[in-house]
Structure formats: C-alpha cells, structure tokens
Amino acid sequence: QAVWVQRSAILEPGSWAILAASQMTSFVSFPKTATVSSLGNQLKCPQSASQPVGGRCGSAQSGLALQLALGALAAGAASTFARRQRKRGRAASPVACCANPVATCETSMGTFKVELFLDQMPLTASNWIDLAKTGFYDGIHFHRVIPNFMCQFGCPYAKDPKSPRAGTGGPTEGSFEILDGSRKAFRDAGGNIEDEFTAQLGNEPGTLSMANTGAPNSGGSQFFINVNNNSFLNWFDRSTPSAHPVFGKVVEGYDLIEKISKVPTDARDCPQDPVKMVKITVEGV
C-alpha cells in the first residue's frame, strides 16, 4: 500500500511518504514538516535522515534483507498514516481542499464579505466573479430592499439610484472562463447565463441567489441577498414556480445586510437614501 504524495502536499511531523519515481519506490521519514514539490519528483532527505543511495533514502548498506525490512516499514507506516487520517474524518491524503474565493464588498454603509461557492456552483460563481473583477458592480446602487425578505443588486441602470429602469438591466453579451477549468461560458440573449440547477443550496439568511425574470436562463448580473429563510424561492422547491439558485453566502458583516434591508424606501422598494457599492475585491482566484 502506498500513500501517494500530491502536488504541494504538506506532510506532518513524523509522517512517512512513499514516493514513486520511474520504476523504483523509495520512502523517507519526515521528522519536521516538509513540502513536496510534485508527484514523482525525487525527494531530498532532511539532514536528520540518511542520504539517498541509488535514488533511495537509506544507509549505505544494501541487500535483500534491507529491502525486505524497508518494504515492511513502508507498508506499516502507510497503514498507520491512513488510519490516522481516517480518524480525523478525511480521506487518506495529506492534501487539503482549496478554499472558495472570498469577496470584500465595500458599500456606502459599510463593508461585508461573501464566500462564492465555486466548488458547488462553478458556472454561476464564475459569472459573478468575472463581473466583480472587471469592475462591473462598482458604482451600482441597491435598487430594491425589503425587510425580512431580501436586498437586490446588480442592475447597471442602478448606477443612477433613481433610474426608472433600475431592475431591468444586465451585462453585455460575451464570454467568461468557468474557474474550475472545465470550459468557457457565454452570456447571450441579453447577457444571460445558463441556469445552474445542480447543488441543492437553500435560500437561507445571508445567502446570495441569482435574480431572474422567471423564464429559463434569464439570469445575468442581478442577484439578491436573503435576510429570511425564503425556501419557496429554491429551485428544488415545487411549491411555487420561483427558481433562484444560491451561489454564495455572507461570511462577515451580515448585520450590515439586515440594516440595508430596513432602510426607508419609496413605493418601488428603492432606498430613499441611495446605498452604493463602492468597490468589490475578490481574493482566492
């Protein structure tokens, strides 16, 4: 049994790693934390370990007895390492999963942060990240806020906070890369993307969800932040025709979102005192 060391893996103190290089197998003890550059590359032993002999870490002695002993030690160490990882509730791999991107949203009322669920909603999250990183959202105002319901944002016409067209616009047609590396996606039919009805993520307080017209594939740049458990908006809830996929969640500053939802509004639910998105900065992509 071998523990395959993945790219940029961090090995814990005292761990054993079995490395594949060409047709030979070698192992090395790591008395201190060490970084492995890539799978299959030859690994240099730490100073406290014996120097490599013929591509292996071991003493200068060789022979069948030594090979058998090393093989037994390697198998035992791999089994122990795998058992330890399973105890911690992880797969027997020393590689941690990459974190989702986080965006810092600076508004005229304060700052909040959101996590984009790139791991579960790659298309929708990539669309939002592309718009944010290109400055599309900067300078736009929240155009519709309702307490105990949601705050809606993302219409380019809402750069004018009192525009009668606020809530009807979207991005221009074009393309963007889906950040999981799978393919290129397109905004067409007025800047709209495909509906991503895959992960069953609920419209719960603090979640970001795509706005649409109710027609299939009609979401573009507009989204809303829930301030209530709006399960009737879930695409997998058949109690209403509404279908709004969640693609992120506020992870810092949710109290600010609640404050925005409660500001005085006009008859169209538009804030009387404009609430502006000054700048969005995305990290982790």
Side-chain angles (χ1 to χ4, degrees):
Q1 182 179 2
V3 180
W4 302 103
V5 181
Q6 304 292 330
R7 182 174 300 276
S8 298
I10 303 299
L11 304 180
E12 299 177 356
S15 301
W16 290 77
I18 309 302
L19 301 180
S22 303
Q23 296 180 347
M24 55 192 177
T25 302
S26 57
F27 76 95
V28 60
S29 175
F30 292 88
K32 296 181 179 179
T33 301
T35 302
V36 180
S37 60
S38 62
L39 176 65
N41 287 352
Q42 185 177 4
L43 181 70
K44 294 183 179 180
C45 299
Q47 291 180 355
S48 57
S50 302
Q51 294 302 310
V53 177
R56 297 173 172 81
C57 293
S59 67
Q61 297 178 352
S62 61
L64 179 60
L66 177 59
Q67 293 179 22
L68 291 174
L70 296 183
L73 283 171
S79 177
T80 301
F81 181 78
R83 187 165 56 252
R84 185 181 302 157
Q85 294 296 89
R86 284 194 296 270
K87 271 186 185 177
R88 294 177 181 174
R90 303 193 299 262
S93 169
V95 183
C97 294
C98 295
N100 279 323
V102 173
T104 300
C105 303
E106 180 188 349
T107 79
S108 55
M109 287 183 60
T111 299
F112 64 95
K113 292 185 177 183
V114 299
E115 176 188 355
L116 289 315
F117 297 152
L118 187 60
D119 58 342
Q120 299 180 80
M121 298 290 288
L123 170 64
T124 311
S126 296
N127 173 65
W128 193 96
I129 290 168
D130 179 71
L131 292 171
K133 293 192 72 170
T134 55
F136 178 90
Y137 289 128
D138 298 350
I140 293 178
H141 297 81
F142 284 85
H143 67 270
R144 185 169 178 244
V145 300
I146 302 174
N148 299 314
F149 184 32
M150 59 89 222
C151 300
Q152 190 167 341
F153 174 83
C155 175
Y157 294 129
K159 284 195 172 182
D160 173 0
K162 301 301 181 181
S163 171
R165 302 180 70 186
T168 64
T172 57
E173 296 184 4
S175 63
F176 60 95
E177 294 293 332
I178 299 181
L179 296 175
D180 64 356
S182 59
R183 62 184 174 93
K184 181 177 288 188
F186 295 89
R187 300 186 188 100
D188 50 24
N192 299 324
I193 63 171
E194 307 167 35
D195 291 327
E196 190 172 26
F197 296 150
T198 52
Q200 293 192 7
L201 304 170
N203 279 271
E204 299 172 353
T207 54
L208 280 66
S209 190
M210 284 297 290
N212 55 47
T213 66
N217 305 318
S218 60
S221 59
Q222 293 190 48
F223 65 97
F224 57 92
I225 306 175
N226 291 288
V227 291
N228 204 343
N229 186 6
N230 298 315
S231 59
F232 66 95
L233 299 179
N234 296 340
W235 64 267
F236 48 91
D237 183 323
R238 303 304 182 188
S239 63
T240 71
S242 298
H244 299 275
V246 166
F247 64 93
K249 185 171 185 177
V250 175
V251 293
E252 187 177 312
Y254 175 68
D255 57 335
L256 173 61
I257 303 302
E258 289 189 313
K259 288 179 183 177
I260 294 174
S261 74
K262 296 175 182 177
V263 301
T265 58
D266 61 19
R268 298 183 300 122
D269 300 317
C270 181
Q272 292 180 358
D273 294 326
V275 182
K276 180 180 180 179
M277 183 68 69
V278 178
K279 186 175 182 59
I280 296 180
T281 305
V282 183
E283 299 178 343
V285 289

